[in-house]
Amino acid sequence: MAERKPIESWLTDMDGVLMHEGVPVPGADAFIKKLRDSAKPFLVLTNNSIYTARDLQARLARIGLEVPEESIWTSALATAKFLDDQHPGGSAYVIGEAGLTTALHEVGYVLTDTDPDFVILGETRTYSFEAMTKAVRLINAGARFIATNPDETGPSAEGALPATGAVAALITKATGKEPYFVGKPNPLMMRTGLNAIGAHSESSAMIGDRMDTDVLAGLEAGMETFLVLTGLTAAADVDTFPYRPTHIKNSIADLVDLV
């Protein structure tokens, strides 16, 4: 097996790696500081499309994690980049929050419910039957179906919440049309992120807490992968998957000395 190149850039998931239910994971602040001091390119990634990068920068700063806005990459930004490449200057009917609508506006998309090119489904805490009905009818009329990410549930203090993947399944059942999912584990999100910071997969690493999204996306993008055990995937779960991370670590604190 060929030896990997030294790690020159880092991509890391946010929830479950750097923070957990709004509380920083011990060692996350030291890891981010080490990255910034090293001047190595890095990105904090999230499949959540609710917030803009500026919103997330402020949320992270409030818990002591100083991440520059340009070092945050969301599924909303990846979706906007994908659509700008595929169909510049298009139109879309959007179910989602400011993170997604802002990203689409910034690439010149028009948001409309009249004959849009695309129906784009993102994360929101207020999925409405009316909006989903509109999406179904527009897709049946010929709009192409895009979803920011395939996550079926999201976390909350009260327990799991239905997320984009679950709502996408409802729309698919009603239309017979599968969406194209842009976010993890689609390696497209990783590759567009790497391009954004001028990094190459052969000398980059992905850190995540989920085998089915973070590790799989990093693997398929050709990156070195680190699974940390502070989130959803436990050590006992790893062998249930047909692929493995390059490394398994207890937490982000164990990676500080590798930067």
Side-chain angles (χ1 to χ4, degrees), residues 67-240:
V67 179
E69 182 181 342
E70 62 271 18
S71 296
I72 297 172
W73 191 244
T74 71
S75 64
L77 292 171
T79 298
K81 170 65 176 166
F82 168 75
L83 289 169
D84 190 38
D85 288 342
Q86 291 274 310
H87 192 96
S91 61
Y93 176 69
V94 176
I95 299 175
E97 301 284 348
L100 181 56
T101 57
T102 300
L104 290 167
H105 277 138
E106 288 179 348
V107 298
Y109 257 62
V110 173
L111 306 189
T112 179
D113 62 359
T114 303
D115 195 25
D117 299 311
F118 298 94
V119 166
I120 305 175
L121 175 67
E123 210 76 61
T124 175
R125 294 290 181 258
T126 56
Y127 289 114
S128 77
F129 185 78
E130 181 182 358
M132 287 185 280
T133 300
K134 174 71 75 172
V136 166
R137 291 172 179 170
L138 290 171
I139 291 167
N140 283 338
R144 286 154 286 180
F145 187 17
I146 302 288
T148 56
N149 68 86
D151 297 29
E152 294 170 352
T153 61
S156 78
E158 294 78 29
L161 296 169
T164 307
V167 179
L170 182 154
I171 294 173
T172 293
K173 196 72 174 176
T175 62
K177 301 290 186 181
E178 295 277 352
Y180 180 70
F181 291 108
V182 176
K184 298 176 293 178
N186 188 342
L188 176 73
M189 182 171 174
M190 318 299 281
R191 294 193 181 280
T192 54
L194 289 170
N195 289 340
I197 59 173
H200 196 284
S201 60
E202 289 185 358
S203 56
S204 299
M206 174 65 198
I207 309 164
D209 70 305
R210 292 183 62 155
M211 286 289 290
D212 58 344
T213 56
D214 306 319
V215 170
L216 181 57
L219 173 71
E220 292 188 348
M223 301 166 66
E224 192 164 348
T225 56
F226 291 82
L227 175 71
V228 294
L229 304 176
T230 48
L232 289 177
T233 301
D237 298 330
V238 174
D239 286 340
T240 66

